Amino acid sequence: MAAVEEGPEPQAAGAGDARDATDAVDAGPRVPPLLAGNRLSLDLYPEGCRWLRHLCAQQHPQLLEVEFLQLSGHEDPQLLEATLARVPRSLPHLRSLVLKGGQCRDALGACLPGSLTTLPSSLGGLARLVHLDLSFNSLETLPDCVPQMRGLGALLLSRNRLSELPEALGALPALTFLAVTHNRLQTLPTALGTLSTLQHLDLSENLLDTLPPEIGGLSSLAELSLASNRLRSLPASLAGLRSLRLLILHSNLLASVPAGLGHLPLLTRLDLRDNQLRDVPPELRDAPFVRLQGNPLGKALPDSCSAPGTPVVPEMPRLFLTSDFDSFPVTPQGCSVTLACGVRLQFPAGATATSVIIRYRLWLPEPRLVPLGPHDSLLSGVLELQPHGASFQQEVGLWLLFVPPRVRRCREVVVRTLSDDSWSDLETHLEEEAPKRLWAHCQVPHFSWFLVVSRPVSNACLVPPEGTLLFSSGNPGIKVTFPPGATEEPCHVRMQVACLLQVVHVADRELQALLGEPAAAVSPLLCLSQSGPSGFLRPVTVQLPLPPGITGLSLDRSHLHLLYQAPPTATWDDITAEVALELTHLYARFQVMHFSWYWLWYTTKTCVGDLARKAWARLRLHHVNLIALQRRRDPEQVLLQCLPRHKVDATLRRLLERYHGPEPSDTVEMFEGEKFFAAFERGLDVDADRPDCVEGRVCFVFYSHLKNVKEVYVTTTLDRQAQAVRGQVSFYRGPVPEEVPEEAEAARQRRGADALWMATLPIKLPRLRGSEGPGLGRGAGLSLAPLNLGDAETGFLTQSNLLNVAGRLGPDWPAVALHLGLSYQELQRIRHKFRDDLDGQIRHMLFSWAERQAGQPGAVGRLMQALEQSDRRDVAQEVRAILELGRRKYQDGIRHTSLAPGDDASPGASASQPPEPAQAQTC
C-alpha cells in the first residue's frame, strides 16, 4: 500500500493559540511514510497526536483500513484525549490500540511514565478492538470506557498507579489476557471470577494481601502470577482451577498452601520460593514441578510469634546485582542475592555477627583452576567468593546454574570447592529451573572457589572395628564387606563405580576393535579409597559383577583377568594369579588387604595390562568435530568451535542462516580439559589483541558440556583489491609452543607419528570492490576513523574490539542501544537506513555511539553495563577480559621503563590469584 500523502508544513503556535490546541484542526507537519499496510505507528515520532489529527482531518481513505494504532503516552493530556475521541469515527476497523509510556527518560536514564490518566468515553464504541495496551502510564482508576469494549481479548495495564479494579471488569466476556503488574492493587473485584474465557492473569508486584474466593471460577485460566505481593494465605477455591498449568507465588508471606493444588491435573510449575512456608502437603513437597527454595521448611515457629500482637519480622532483603557490582554487603539481618552471572546466594539471619562485604568473580575454566578426576566432567565456570576462609555462624545457601549432562545413569552432579588447600565435594541437591537448566544447591560454611562437576556415583561410610557392608547405589551388585577386626580405629572409605561403557555408547565396539575379538567384555571399573592407614588388619571381600554376556556357568576361567591400578600411575597389572577368585553365576569375589582400582576383563589375550591402559584412555576420549564458519555479511568475522559429534548437525542448522563455510573436520578425539589452539595460516592473522590469543594463535580448552566457541576478526597483509585471499585455519593439540613453528615446519609435523595437528579448514576473504574497507563488510554504508574507547591505564577498546562486539550482538542490538541512551527515534532511523542489513544496523549504532563518547570518561563501563542489562553477559565478559589484558600490558610497559617500583605497587593489581590445584585423585 502506498504511503500516506505528505501534508503542509507545520505552523508555530503562540500563547494566544492555546485555546485552539484541541478544537481547531492543526496545521499538520510533513508526514513521513508512517502507514505500512494496516499499521499506523506514531509512538516514535514527536507530535504524533497532531499527525493523527491531521490525517483524520484529511479523511484519507487509507485510514479506513487501519487495524493497528500506536501512540505515545507522553503527549499533552488534553491533546491526547481530544485526538483519541476522533479515533472511533476515523478508524472504525481498529483492532489494536497501544498507548504506552516509557519512551522518554530522565536525566539519570530511567524510563518516565506517560501522562495518560483517562480515556474519552467514545472509545467504548470501538466494537472490533481486541487488544488494548495502556502500560507505563499514570492511570489511577480504570477508564469507564474499557468495560464497554465487549470484544476485548487482551488488556495490558502494567506499571500504572491503579489501587483497585472495578467490578465492571467482569463485563468483558471475550477477555483472555490480563496483565496488571507493578501497580498498587490492594484488593481484587469479586466479578473477576466471572471471566470464564481468561487464560493468562498476571498480578505480580502489587500490594495484595488476600484473594477473593471467586477467583476459583476462572475455568479457562492456564497461567496465574501473583509473585511479589503480600499474600498470607490462599483461598481453597484455587484448587478448582482445572486448566491451570503455571502458578507463580514466589516472594509473598504465605504460611500455608491448599493441599488441593497438588491434584491439579495440568499443573507443570508451582513456584513457592521465598515465602514463610514451614510445612507443605506431602504431595507438593516431593513433586518435581514445585520450587520451594527460600522457605523455612521444617523449622519450628518461634514462641514469640504465637502471641497475638507480636510485630511481624521484617522481610529478608533481596539484592539483584548487575555487572557493574562485584561486591555487596551482608548484615546480621541476612539477605538473598542474585548475582549478574546467574548465581544465587541466601544468607540466613544471624549468618554474620557484623556487616561483611562479600566479593565475587566468575573465572573462565582452565586446567589450573579445574580439579577434575579422570572420569569427571565440568558443567560450569569457576565462581570465586571472598573473603576466603571466613566462617559463618550459619551455613549459606549457594545455587549454581548448569546445563544437565547428556548421560546421567551411574553419575551424579556435585559442587566442588577448595578447602584447606584441598578440593572436596559438597552435599548437593538438584532443582529444576527449566527442562534443560538445573540448579546445583548446596550449603557452604565458608567462601572459596566453587564449580559444578559430573562424577561417577560415589558412596562412602565409616568402618567401625565391628565391621560393616558398603554397596554401590548405582550398581547394587557391587559390594565391599569389612569383617570384624579389619580396623582398630574407625576409618572412612569411599567407593566410586565408573561405568565407562554407559558413558561412551560406542565403547563396546571400540574395545572389541582394539582387542581384535568380538567376544571381549569388561566389568564396571571399581575405585576404592580410604583414610587413615593404607591397609587393613584382616582381608576385605570385594564383589564385582562379571562382564556383560558372561556367566559363571559358561566362562573359561583362563580368559578372566582381574586388573589392578594404583593412582596416580596409569599402568594396569594383572593380579589374577595373586588372588583367589570365587565365581558365582553373576559375580566374582576376591579379598584384598588395601584399596585401589579394580577391573575385570574377559578376553583371550594373555598380556592384558598394556591393552587395559590403552582401552582406559580410549574409553575416556570424546569424539568431536571442529568447525570454522564466516559470517555471511562480514566474512572477516570467523566463528571457531569444537563440538561433540552428536551436536554437530543441530548446531550447523542453527548457524547456517548467518554463517557459511566448509564442512566440519573429520572426527578427532579429545580428553576432558585438553588444551588446543587454532592458528590462521597462508596470509591470515587475528585482527586484535585478545587475552586468549598468543602470537596470533587462539587458545582453547575442551570441556564436553560447555560451549567451546570463539569468534575472531581476521586480517591479511595480502592485497585484497587484486584478488580474494585463500587462507586457512589449522587446529593443533596442546598449549601454544614458546616458539611457534613456521608454516612449512608445521606442515611437516602433521605427518609425524606423534603429530599435534588435528585439522585444517579453508578461510576465504573475498576480493574488495571499489573503496570498500576491510572489517566493515559489504553494504555496511559506514566509514570509520580510528577509534579507541577508554584509556591506557584502565584498558582500551579498539575499533577491532568494537567490531567483535558488534558481531556478537545479533537481534539483541536494540535493547543494548536503548540501555546506551539512544532514543527510539534514532533506532527507527537506523532501521530505515539499513533496511535488510542487520549487521549494518548494529555497526552503525555502536560506532555512532562510540564516536560521541570519544574523550569522555566511563564510556567502556557504560557499554558493559548496557550489555549486562540486555542479558548479554557473554559479550560483557569478553570486554572485561580484553580490558584486563590491556591493563596488564600497560603495567608491564611501566615496569619496563622503571616508572613503577614493582608488581605489588602497580595499579589494578589483583587482590587474589586463582589456586593451583593438584590433580584430583577421584574417579
Side-chain angles (χ1 to χ4, degrees):
M1 181 178 295
V4 175
E5 182 181 2
E6 292 188 353
E9 293 289 343
Q11 298 179 359
D17 299 324
R19 63 182 181 274
D20 299 326
T22 60
D23 296 325
V25 176
D26 300 6
R30 296 185 62 84
V31 182
L34 304 173
L35 186 56
N38 58 357
R39 297 176 178 270
L40 182 57
S41 299
L42 299 170
D43 56 329
L44 300 181
Y45 298 89
E47 298 185 340
C49 283
R50 295 183 182 273
W51 282 337
L52 180 58
R53 289 167 60 84
H54 174 71
L55 295 174
C56 293
Q58 285 186 330
Q59 297 183 351
H60 201 288
Q62 293 178 354
L63 290 181
L64 298 177
E65 302 178 19
V66 171
E67 295 183 353
F68 303 89
L69 172 63
Q70 290 179 286
L71 280 172
S72 172
H74 294 281
E75 300 277 357
D76 177 81
Q78 292 184 350
L79 179 61
L80 181 59
E81 184 175 0
T83 303
L84 291 174
R86 300 187 177 191
V87 168
R89 182 174 65 253
S90 301
L91 288 76
H93 298 116
L94 195 65
R95 293 175 53 82
S96 173
L97 177 58
V98 177
L99 299 170
K100 291 176 62 174
Q103 289 94 345
C104 298
R105 296 173 179 266
D106 60 16
L108 299 178
C111 294
L112 295 173
S115 57
L116 186 68
T117 58
T118 186
L119 294 177
S121 59
S122 60
L123 287 185
L126 291 172
R128 301 191 181 188
L129 195 70
V130 297
H131 175 266
L132 179 60
D133 189 349
L134 304 176
S135 304
F136 226 124
N137 279 291
S138 303
L139 296 173
E140 296 184 358
T141 59
L142 188 68
D144 294 336
C145 64
V146 174
Q148 301 173 15
M149 302 173 181
R150 299 305 175 90
L152 203 59
L155 178 57
L156 290 81
L157 301 168
S158 298
R159 296 187 180 274
N160 278 278
R161 303 171 185 174
L162 298 170
S163 58
E164 62 178 2
L165 296 174
E167 293 287 342
L169 192 66
L172 296 175
L175 195 64
T176 61
F177 186 101
L178 177 59
V180 203
T181 68
H182 292 84
N183 276 273
R184 304 171 183 176
L185 297 179
Q186 300 181 21
T187 60
L188 295 177
T190 58
L192 186 67
T194 64
L195 298 174
S196 59
T197 60
L198 193 62
Q199 299 176 12
H200 180 108
L201 178 58
D202 192 346
L203 298 168
S204 56
E205 301 285 349
N206 278 284
L207 304 176
L208 298 171
D209 52 15
T210 59
L211 297 177
E214 290 79 5
I215 198 172
L218 299 174
S219 57
S220 301
L221 195 63
E223 298 182 7
L224 174 59
S225 178
L226 294 161
S228 300
N229 278 279
R230 300 178 179 180
L231 296 173
R232 298 181 179 275
S233 62
L234 300 173
S237 60
L238 279 183
L241 300 176
R242 311 295 291 177
S243 300
L244 200 61
R245 294 185 291 105
L246 189 68
L247 180 55
I248 308 299
L249 294 165
H250 70 75
S251 307
N252 278 280
L253 302 173
L254 294 173
S256 63
V257 293
L261 293 181
H263 301 293
L264 292 175
L266 303 180
L267 194 62
T268 59
R269 182 179 178 188
L270 174 57
D271 194 340
L272 294 168
R273 292 175 298 159
D274 300 322
N275 277 280
Q276 302 298 319
L277 297 172
R278 287 179 168 79
D279 191 21
V280 295
E283 56 268 29
L284 293 180
R285 181 185 291 269
D286 301 327
F289 58 84
V290 180
R291 303 182 63 185
L292 293 168
Q293 302 96 317
N295 285 284
L297 294 172
K299 296 183 180 179
L301 191 66
D303 295 338
S304 59
C305 294
S306 59
T310 302
V312 177
V313 178
E315 185 180 0
M316 179 180 291
R318 298 187 181 93
L319 303 177
F320 297 88
L321 303 185
T322 56
S323 63
D324 49 343
F325 292 94
D326 60 359
S327 63
F328 56 90
V330 176
T331 66
Q333 182 183 354
C335 63
S336 175
V337 184
T338 300
L339 307 182
C341 55
V343 175
R344 291 173 46 207
L345 293 158
Q346 183 158 350
F347 297 83
T352 62
T354 59
S355 295
V356 178
I357 300 297
I358 305 298
R359 293 180 173 81
Y360 75 93
R361 179 175 179 180
L362 193 65
W363 296 80
L364 294 176
E366 54 178 295
R368 70 190 182 100
L369 279 178
V370 179
L372 293 181
H375 307 130
D376 295 344
S377 298
L378 181 66
L379 303 180
S380 74
V382 183
L383 174 70
E384 181 188 6
L385 293 172
Q386 294 182 331
H388 293 172
S391 299
F392 297 100
Q393 298 181 13
Q394 296 189 47
E395 290 187 333
V396 176
L398 172 64
W399 285 263
L400 296 169
L401 197 62
F402 69 97
V403 177
R406 183 186 182 199
V407 177
R408 300 172 69 176
R409 184 181 177 187
C410 294
R411 297 188 70 82
E412 60 187 353
V413 174
V414 295
V415 174
R416 187 163 292 173
T417 184
L418 182 66
S419 177
D420 297 330
D421 297 326
S422 64
W423 291 87
S424 59
D425 295 340
L426 301 174
E427 181 179 351
T428 306
H429 304 280
L430 302 186
E431 301 170 3
E432 187 172 4
E433 165 77 7
K436 293 186 178 181
R437 290 162 64 89
L438 294 176
W439 289 103
H441 172 215
C442 61
Q443 299 293 124
V444 297
H446 59 266
F447 280 170
S448 181
W449 281 268
F450 302 91
L451 59 149
V452 183
V453 172
S454 171
R455 70 177 189 187
V457 170
S458 177
N459 299 100
C461 72
L462 181 67
V463 180
E466 296 81 15
T468 188
L469 173 66
L470 174 64
F471 64 90
S472 170
S473 58
N475 191 332
I478 299 178
K479 301 179 182 179
V480 180
T481 304
F482 300 88
T487 63
E488 289 184 346
E489 299 291 336
C491 70
H492 290 274
V493 296
R494 181 167 174 248
M495 168 196 297
Q496 280 188 306
V497 180
C499 302
L500 294 177
L501 299 184
Q502 296 166 1
V503 175
V504 184
H505 297 292
V506 296
D508 51 353
R509 296 196 300 271
E510 292 190 1
L511 177 66
Q512 293 163 4
L514 178 66
L515 298 179
E517 57 177 311
V522 299
S523 73
L525 171 61
L526 176 62
C527 309
L528 297 172
S529 60
Q530 67 188 94
S531 63
S534 59
F536 296 99
L537 301 178
R538 297 188 60 189
V540 175
T541 302
V542 179
Q543 174 177 293
L544 275 176
L546 292 173
I550 308 300
T551 65
L553 301 178
S554 61
L555 65 78
D556 184 342
R557 291 184 68 101
S558 64
H559 297 167
L560 190 64
H561 302 267
L562 178 62
L563 303 179
Y564 159 92
Q565 184 195 88
T569 65
T571 59
W572 288 90
D573 298 322
D574 190 343
I575 61 171
T576 311
E578 303 173 17
V579 299
L581 277 177
E582 176 188 348
L583 303 180
T584 68
H585 183 62
L586 297 176
Y587 301 102
R589 298 190 184 98
F590 54 93
Q591 293 184 331
V592 298
M593 294 296 292
H594 61 274
F595 279 169
S596 188
W597 292 8
Y598 302 96
W599 206 2
L600 269 179
W601 277 51
Y602 190 78
T603 175
T604 58
K605 306 293 183 181
T606 54
C607 299
V608 185
D610 190 52
L611 292 174
R613 178 183 60 82
K614 295 179 180 179
W616 181 61
R618 178 75 61 85
L619 299 182
R620 292 183 296 116
L621 286 169
H622 296 268
H623 295 204
V624 302
N625 297 94
L626 301 157
I627 63 175
L629 302 176
Q630 295 173 261
R631 185 175 284 271
R632 293 183 182 275
R633 296 184 179 275
D634 190 359
E636 290 89 357
Q637 183 179 351
V638 180
L639 180 146
L640 306 174
Q641 189 166 11
C642 176
L643 283 167
R645 187 167 56 187
H646 66 274
K647 295 182 179 180
V648 171
D649 291 341
T651 301
L652 289 179
R653 282 195 300 270
R654 187 177 69 251
L655 291 176
L656 288 181
E657 293 183 1
R658 295 175 291 130
Y659 295 85
H660 68 93
E663 291 292 321
S665 72
D666 294 336
T667 300
V668 296
E669 297 173 335
M670 301 191 74
F671 288 105
E672 183 83 3
E674 182 175 352
K675 289 185 176 182
F676 66 102
F677 64 91
F680 289 93
E681 301 167 343
R682 295 189 177 179
L684 299 183
D685 197 2
V686 179
D687 187 27
D689 281 338
R690 296 169 55 103
D692 57 355
C693 186
V694 180
E695 297 189 19
R697 272 61 175 165
V698 183
C699 306
F700 288 82
V701 182
F702 172 74
Y703 293 107
S704 56
H705 294 89
L706 302 184
K707 289 185 177 181
N708 307 287
V709 58
K710 295 184 180 181
E711 289 192 74
V712 298
Y713 271 85
V714 296
T715 185
T716 180
T717 57
L718 304 180
D719 183 11
R720 288 179 61 190
Q721 299 283 354
Q723 61 181 1
V725 175
R726 299 182 182 274
Q728 64 186 28
V729 58
S730 295
F731 296 87
Y732 299 89
R733 297 186 186 275
V736 179
E738 294 184 3
E739 294 184 3
V740 178
E742 298 292 334
E743 291 184 18
E745 177 64 23
R748 285 194 296 271
Q749 291 179 0
R750 297 175 194 170
R751 296 189 290 269
D754 298 324
L756 300 179
W757 171 83
M758 293 188 292
T760 295
L761 299 173
I763 299 292
K764 178 182 177 181
L765 297 183
R767 176 187 173 192
L768 294 179
R769 295 182 177 89
S771 59
E772 182 183 354
L776 299 182
R778 290 168 289 180
L782 188 63
S783 176
L784 300 174
L787 178 67
N788 288 314
L789 285 184
D791 54 67
E793 184 171 351
T794 60
F796 276 119
L797 283 185
T798 66
Q799 174 175 302
S800 297
N801 299 143
L802 290 174
L803 281 171
N804 190 34
V805 171
R808 296 290 304 279
L809 293 183
D812 296 327
W813 76 269
V816 177
L818 292 174
H819 286 114
L820 286 174
L822 276 72
S823 65
Y824 281 92
Q825 293 88 341
E826 191 169 358
L827 260 66
Q828 198 76 356
R829 287 194 294 270
I830 293 174
R831 285 193 178 106
H832 180 75
K833 182 177 181 180
F834 297 95
R835 296 184 298 274
D836 302 325
D837 184 4
L838 177 61
D839 293 331
Q841 295 173 5
I842 300 172
R843 283 191 291 266
H844 186 89
M845 176 277 295
L846 188 59
F847 278 89
S848 60
W849 171 82
E851 288 172 350
R852 292 196 295 267
Q853 306 300 312
Q856 297 186 21
V860 176
R862 288 192 290 274
L863 175 59
M864 288 196 294
Q865 182 178 4
L867 292 169
E868 292 281 357
Q869 293 172 341
S870 307
D871 290 330
R872 291 310 305 265
R873 299 183 183 91
D874 55 334
V875 184
Q877 185 69 23
E878 285 192 11
V879 173
R880 192 173 290 108
I882 292 170
L883 293 176
E884 181 65 25
L885 176 66
R887 283 193 290 267
R888 288 202 301 267
K889 288 187 175 182
Y890 173 74
Q891 294 160 15
D892 291 343
I894 290 180
R895 287 194 293 272
H896 291 161
T897 55
S898 303
L899 296 179
D903 293 348
D904 295 337
S906 61
S910 176
S912 68
Q913 294 296 326
E916 296 283 354
Q919 180 66 27
Q921 299 300 326
T922 57
C923 280

